[in-house]
Amino acid sequence: MEGKQPGLYRDPFETAPRGPLGIIAMPGCEMLGERVNAYLMRWRDLKENKDVELYTSPGYERESFLLGVSCPRFGTGEGKGLLRGSVRGYDIYIISDVTAYQVEYTMYGRSVPMSPDDHYQDLKRIISAIRGKAQHINVIMPFLYESRQHRRTGRESMDCAMALQELYNMGVSNIITFDAHDPRVQNAIPLMGFESVNPYYQVLKALLRSISDLRLDKDHMTIISPDEGAISRNIFYSTVLGLDLGMFYKRRDYSRVVNGRNPIIAHEYLGDDVAGKDILVSDDIIATGESILDLARELKSRKANRIFIAGTFCFFTNGMDAFQKAYDEGAFCRVLGCNLNFLPQGLREREWFIEVDMSKYISYIIATLNHDHSLHALLNPMDRIKRLLSNYHAMQVESGIIPGP
């Protein structure tokens, strides 16, 4: 497989697949689906021996692994799912971005943006059209539907658990998601495959490729967790990079509810002095961004140097103006965001944004599952990160950024 590191993976293409591979990119995921398909086609075409069993399995010599589907709507907003070809016997992987608000449909003559509920209903429609024909149905849902409504603390619904059970009852074999808000929600489906994948390696790779002069030691850089909910992912970065960890906690006004949540009164910092140090702050979701920008300004008031903000899902629900203003003020240096969800138009052109491409990683996951291999090596990025840091250090020494041994 192109770019494969020795000892990291067992090449999935050495064995026969468990069924002809089919990839369905739901509306809003077309670009990601095309990138994933391009990697898989390239890896297949690199193989020299075309006579072994896996290359003669049905469907393997297709021009594309992508399968055509559509979800047309009636004038009332009702819809249906349609397959544009046979999927009998296939191993199907459906990529669905439930946050793809750029997709619209017409209802009563009005153009309506698709909500997460609309995307989830279309996903079920396609599964319904496939069920009973495909060998396996796997759902790759980067942002887990209703994952922020994952537990009950009062008289409220448990939307994420209900959705997972619904997919299980429809015959889905595996769900692959990324950086689930609380992975323990998988307890709702104990008999179903569920993986919450964290993009640690991809984020670090994008950061180190973009910024060549980071000093990855305790005297020059610190990891900061934006709140207690993000502590585990920031502990990971702190551990693999050998850096100190600090943390903010949000003091809220629990006597009021504004826009569905208790407003934040202040960010309280726990940790060592950050003066003169570069900072990496990692969180799962950047929605409005108000909280993370307040945190960045607080760190700047404590004389922090460059601040790098990493978000698995960057939604910018209130637009990008606040981030542009904060960047112009020098409140932060860069924002790293994965292309797992729809990125707003013009975001990639902003000088402060670094895109973290996840398509190759998703391709590895699909190829590994399609050939019925373990995901363990893919889900554990420690070896890859060590190699990445070693190469980065060697580059800095060669360039004279840091002194050699």
Side-chain angles (χ1 to χ4, degrees), residues 78 82 114 119 153 167 190 251 272 276 287 294 315 321 365 381:
E78 299 164 287
L82 297 174
M114 288 188 67
H119 282 291
T153 57
L167 293 177
R251 195 149 52 87
D272 294 334
D294 288 344
F315 296 130
D321 291 345
I365 292 173

Side-chain angles (χ1 to χ4, degrees), residues 2 35 37-47:
E2 182 188 25
R35 288 184 177 184
N37 180 64
Y39 276 116
L40 292 167
M41 297 296 292
R42 190 183 311 163
W43 293 336
R44 181 200 68 177
D45 294 341
L46 282 172
K47 302 316 251 185

Side-chain angles (χ1 to χ4, degrees), residues 101 286-288 314-320 323 335 344 347 352-353:
Y101 64 90
I286 297 177
T288 64
C314 294
F315 296 130
F316 300 102
T317 53
N318 286 354
M320 295 173 282
F323 277 83
V335 172
L347 177 61
W352 44 264
F353 184 75

Side-chain angles (χ1 to χ4, degrees), residues 199-219:
Y200 299 131
Y201 170 72
Q202 288 75 19
V203 168
L204 285 176
K205 182 170 71 172
L207 175 63
L208 299 185
R209 282 185 173 180
S210 301
I211 310 296
S212 62
D213 60 346
L214 288 173
R215 300 292 295 273
L216 300 176
D217 59 65
K218 293 183 178 181
D219 294 329

Side-chain angles (χ1 to χ4, degrees), residues 201-404:
Y201 170 72
Q202 288 75 19
V203 168
L204 285 176
K205 182 170 71 172
L207 175 63
L208 299 185
R209 282 185 173 180
S210 301
I211 310 296
S212 62
D213 60 346
L214 288 173
R215 300 292 295 273
L216 300 176
D217 59 65
K218 293 183 178 181
D219 294 329
H220 297 91
M221 193 168 183
T222 295
I223 306 296
I224 299 292
S225 177
D227 53 41
E228 60 276 16
I231 192 71
S232 61
R233 70 175 57 83
N234 287 283
I235 286 176
F236 182 89
Y237 286 122
S238 172
T239 302
V240 299
L241 297 175
L243 304 177
D244 289 333
L245 175 69
M247 187 187 106
F248 279 88
Y249 72 91
K250 299 171 183 175
R251 195 149 52 87
R252 296 180 180 272
D253 181 358
Y254 288 99
S255 66
R256 297 186 298 136
V257 176
V258 178
N259 294 329
R261 61 183 181 178
N262 302 108
I264 298 170
I265 300 173
H267 291 86
E268 304 289 354
Y269 176 64
L270 301 172
D272 294 334
D273 186 15
V274 298
K277 295 182 180 180
D278 290 333
I279 306 293
L280 175 62
V281 182
S282 178
D283 209 350
D284 57 343
I285 298 170
I286 297 177
T288 64
E290 293 176 3
S291 177
I292 204 77
L293 292 179
D294 288 344
L295 182 149
R297 291 187 174 99
E298 177 65 24
L299 289 170
K300 276 297 183 180
S301 73
R302 295 171 182 268
K303 310 300 182 185
N305 190 23
R306 296 176 295 182
I307 297 173
F308 302 95
I309 301 168
T312 306
F313 302 100
C314 294
F315 296 130
F316 300 102
T317 53
N318 286 354
M320 295 173 282
D321 291 345
F323 277 83
Q324 188 65 52
K325 180 181 177 182
Y327 174 75
D328 293 338
E329 294 171 352
F332 69 91
C333 182
R334 295 289 186 274
V335 172
L336 296 100
C338 301
N339 60 349
L340 294 168
N341 62 284
F342 171 70
L343 298 176
Q345 187 173 4
L347 177 61
R348 291 179 173 89
E349 287 72 45
R350 303 276 177 153
E351 62 270 36
W352 44 264
F353 184 75
I354 300 174
E355 180 179 357
V356 180
D357 186 12
M358 298 297 295
S359 57
K360 189 174 185 179
Y361 193 30
I362 294 174
S363 304
Y364 275 129
I365 292 173
I366 291 175
T368 302
L369 287 178
N370 179 236
H371 290 259
D372 214 13
H373 289 191
S374 171
L375 289 175
H376 176 74
L378 280 174
L379 301 181
N380 182 3
M382 289 296 293
D383 290 338
R384 282 169 286 162
I385 290 175
K386 288 178 181 177
R387 267 184 279 272
L388 176 68
L389 296 177
S390 176
N391 293 336
Y392 186 71
H393 182 268
M395 178 276 296
Q396 289 185 316
V397 171
E398 184 179 347
S399 303
I401 296 173
I402 61 174

Side-chain angles (χ1 to χ4, degrees), residues 47-279:
K47 302 316 251 185
E48 297 177 0
N49 185 357
K50 299 292 184 180
D51 298 325
V52 295
E53 180 185 354
L54 66 133
Y55 293 107
T56 57
S57 58
Y60 207 81
E61 292 295 339
R62 301 198 315 273
E63 294 183 359
S64 172
F65 293 127
L66 286 170
L67 302 174
V69 300
S70 62
C71 297
R73 298 271 174 166
F74 299 100
T76 56
E78 299 164 287
K80 61 180 178 180
L82 297 174
L83 304 179
R84 295 177 184 160
S86 173
V87 296
R88 188 167 299 281
Y90 276 55
D91 186 25
I92 300 292
Y93 295 81
I94 308 174
I95 305 175
S96 174
D97 176 14
V98 298
T99 67
Y101 64 90
Q102 81 279 14
V103 183
E104 299 180 341
Y105 63 92
T106 302
M107 182 171 66
Y108 291 100
R110 300 180 180 180
S111 185
V112 181
M114 288 188 67
S115 69
D117 292 341
D118 291 324
H119 282 291
Y120 178 61
Q121 287 300 122
D122 278 354
L123 171 65
K124 292 195 297 181
R125 290 179 176 115
I126 294 301
I127 293 173
S128 175
I130 294 171
R131 188 71 184 105
K133 305 174 181 65
Q135 277 198 52
H136 305 277
I137 302 174
N138 308 273
V139 172
I140 300 176
M141 187 183 289
F143 183 77
L144 186 61
Y145 174 70
E146 289 289 355
S147 57
R148 286 188 282 184
Q149 186 53 31
H150 59 93
R151 62 182 178 181
R152 175 176 289 158
T153 57
R155 297 184 182 92
E156 55 187 344
S157 59
M158 294 185 66
D159 298 49
C160 189
M162 291 174 60
L164 291 175
Q165 290 182 356
E166 196 168 21
L167 293 177
Y168 171 73
N169 291 329
M170 293 185 74
V172 173
S173 302
N174 296 289
I175 291 182
I176 306 295
T177 190
F178 288 81
D179 207 351
H181 197 62
D182 187 346
R184 290 174 296 182
V185 74
Q186 66 185 288
N187 294 336
I189 46 167
L191 302 180
M192 181 179 174
F194 181 97
E195 296 292 348
S196 177
V197 184
N198 287 296
Y200 299 131
Y201 170 72
Q202 288 75 19
V203 168
L204 285 176
K205 182 170 71 172
L207 175 63
L208 299 185
R209 282 185 173 180
S210 301
I211 310 296
S212 62
D213 60 346
L214 288 173
R215 300 292 295 273
L216 300 176
D217 59 65
K218 293 183 178 181
D219 294 329
H220 297 91
M221 193 168 183
T222 295
I223 306 296
I224 299 292
S225 177
D227 53 41
E228 60 276 16
I231 192 71
S232 61
R233 70 175 57 83
N234 287 283
I235 286 176
F236 182 89
Y237 286 122
S238 172
T239 302
V240 299
L241 297 175
L243 304 177
D244 289 333
L245 175 69
M247 187 187 106
F248 279 88
Y249 72 91
K250 299 171 183 175
R251 195 149 52 87
R252 296 180 180 272
D253 181 358
Y254 288 99
S255 66
R256 297 186 298 136
V257 176
V258 178
N259 294 329
R261 61 183 181 178
N262 302 108
I264 298 170
I265 300 173
H267 291 86
E268 304 289 354
Y269 176 64
L270 301 172
D272 294 334
D273 186 15
V274 298
K277 295 182 180 180
D278 290 333
I279 306 293

